[in-house]
Amino acid sequence: AQKVTQAQTEISVVEKEDVTLDCVYETRDTTYYLFWYKQPPSGELVFLIRRNSFDEQNEISGRYSWNFQKSTSSFNFTITASQVVDSAVYFCALSEWSGANSKLTFGKGITLSVRP
Amino acid sequence: DAGITQSPRYKITETGRQVTLMCHQTWSHSYMFWYRQDLGHGLRLIYYSAAADITDKGEVPDGYVVSRSKTENFPLTLESATRSQTSVYFCASMWLAGPTDTQYFGPGTRLTVL
C-alpha cells in the first residue's frame, strides 16, 4: 500500500530563515507522481508542484525548491528566505495512476509558522 | 468568472437526508476530483473522473455517488448523510497533460451532519 509520511508536524521559523519540509513516501509502483500543496489559514488549497517518478531533476521556482531522491524515497521542499505569507499547512501527496483503483494519498501535513 | 467553484459553501443537514455538493469548472479540464479533509486524516480522495461519463472510486467512496454528464460539472451526492460525513469537501480539476500541469482546487464546502 502506498503511504506518505510527513514526520514534522509543526515548524516555527523567523522570517528570512530557510526551512525544509520533509516528505518520505512508500509505493510498489515504478510509475507514480508526487505533489506538494499549500493550505494557508484562509483554507483554500494551492497546488505547488507535480513530479513524476522518472524525473529526478530538482526543481526551483523562485524561493521554492524541491529535492526528489528515489534512492531515499524522499521529496523534500525547501523555502529560502521564508516570509510571513509562507505560513500555512503544507501537504505532500503521492498518486499511482494505474487504472481502476488509482489513489491519491496525502501526508498529514506540516504546519509552518513564520514569525516576523 | 473563470475558475472552479463549489456550492454551497456551507451546509448543515440532518442524518439520513440526501445532500448534493456542486462543483463547476470553466477550463474544460479533463480530470476532476472530490476530496474530503478531516482533522487527523488530512485529505482523502473520494472519487475522480477522467472525462465526461467516466468516473472511478478513490480511497473513501462509500456513502457517496458522483456523476459527470458534462465536462464542466462534477456533483457529489451523499445519498443518506451520516455524522461521519461531517467534513470539508474540496473539488479539484486538472489537465494532467504534462510536466507543467496544474491542479486547481475549489474553495471548499463545509458540511455538518447533525
Side-chain angles (χ1 to χ4, degrees):
Chain A
Q2 59 185 42
K3 184 179 176 182
V4 175
T5 301
Q6 295 182 264
Q8 307 149 308
T9 54
E10 295 184 15
I11 300 175
S12 182
V13 298
V14 177
E15 212 171 13
K16 296 185 184 178
E17 283 186 23
D18 298 347
V19 58
T20 295
L21 311 181
D22 297 334
C23 174
V24 173
Y25 63 92
E26 295 176 28
T27 178
R28 294 179 183 173
D29 279 12
T30 55
T31 301
Y32 52 89
Y33 298 87
L34 295 162
F35 303 77
W36 275 96
Y37 300 93
K38 173 182 179 181
Q39 187 172 42
S42 51
E44 73 269 26
L45 282 158
V46 180
F47 173 89
L48 295 178
I49 191 170
R50 172 180 182 262
R51 174 68 66 215
N52 74 57
S53 52
F54 298 107
D55 182 1
E56 288 194 70
Q57 274 192 331
N58 289 334
E59 177 88 13
I60 298 175
S61 177
R63 296 184 297 107
Y64 294 171
S65 61
W66 290 270
N67 185 326
F68 177 28
Q69 292 196 335
K70 288 177 77 170
S71 60
T72 56
S73 297
S74 65
F75 187 44
N76 296 336
F77 173 31
T78 297
I79 301 174
T80 302
S82 60
Q83 299 176 1
V84 172
V85 293
D86 296 327
S87 296
V89 181
Y90 290 87
F91 293 96
C92 179
L94 164 70
S95 79
E96 301 165 343
W97 294 100
S98 55
N101 290 315
S102 295
K103 296 180 183 179
L104 184 64
T105 301
F106 281 80
K108 297 285 177 64
I110 301 170
T111 300
L112 174 65
S113 298
V114 181
R115 309 187 305 276
Chain B
D1 290 339
I4 184 165
T5 57
Q6 292 182 237
S7 61
R9 294 292 314 280
Y10 302 91
K11 176 74 176 178
I12 299 174
T13 190
E14 295 178 340
T15 301
R17 291 196 179 245
Q18 183 178 83
V19 177
T20 295
L21 309 184
M22 304 302 293
C23 178
H24 175 79
Q25 53 109 348
T26 60
W27 297 296
S28 298
H29 285 172
S30 296
Y31 282 82
M32 296 188 75
F33 313 83
W34 274 106
Y35 303 91
R36 58 178 291 174
Q37 184 176 28
D38 306 290
L39 281 175
H41 289 282
L43 285 137
R44 292 180 291 177
L45 182 65
I46 305 171
Y47 268 95
Y48 73 99
S49 168
D53 296 322
I54 300 175
T55 63
D56 214 336
K57 297 177 181 179
E59 184 183 356
V60 289
D62 294 342
Y64 302 95
V65 175
V66 294
S67 62
R68 195 166 176 208
S69 57
K70 293 183 178 181
T71 299
E72 61 268 27
N73 296 325
F74 191 39
L76 175 74
T77 298
L78 288 67
E79 294 186 300
S80 179
T82 65
R83 289 183 181 175
S84 65
Q85 292 177 310
T86 292
S87 186
V88 180
Y89 290 86
F90 288 97
C91 177
S93 70
M94 189 173 185
W95 279 115
L96 210 66
T100 60
D101 50 12
T102 299
Q103 183 165 151
Y104 296 94
F105 279 82
T109 293
R110 186 175 293 276
L111 176 67
T112 302
V113 183
L114 301 176

